[in-house]
Amino acid sequence: YGERAVEHAGPVGEDGWAELTFPYENDLQASRTLLGLGPDVAVLEPEALRAVMRDMVERISRRLCGSTDTVVA
């Protein structure tokens, strides 16, 4: 899916980034897809998707860093 999305990306700018827009069913599905692309993904909008991504990354970070906080998925 990610490869197909990248094929539809805009031109790469001087900063080395390219913007792309893709359809998705819900924020959870989109966030899982985007996380699968690795650390070089920045979600510009919508804010609701940014919030879901932020929450998932924080939970992953706590888990990997050995936090004693309980993480419920």
Side-chain angles (χ1 to χ4, degrees):
Y1 184 82
E3 290 176 6
R4 284 187 295 153
V6 170
E7 290 174 3
H8 294 90
V12 176
E14 291 181 21
D15 58 1
W17 287 86
E19 289 188 26
L20 66 97
T21 302
F22 70 96
Y24 59 93
E25 293 181 25
N26 59 61
D27 292 337
L28 182 59
Q29 178 260 336
S31 63
R32 289 178 174 167
T33 298
L34 293 169
L35 284 173
L37 297 176
D40 295 325
V41 171
V43 176
L44 304 178
E45 59 181 324
E47 182 57 38
L49 176 57
R50 290 174 52 88
V52 170
M53 292 284 293
R54 190 170 29 254
D55 179 62
M56 290 181 84
V57 169
E58 288 172 357
R59 290 177 16 213
I60 291 167
S61 179
R62 284 195 306 265
R63 183 170 296 145
L64 293 175
C65 293
S67 172
T68 58
D69 294 341
T70 301
V71 178
V72 178

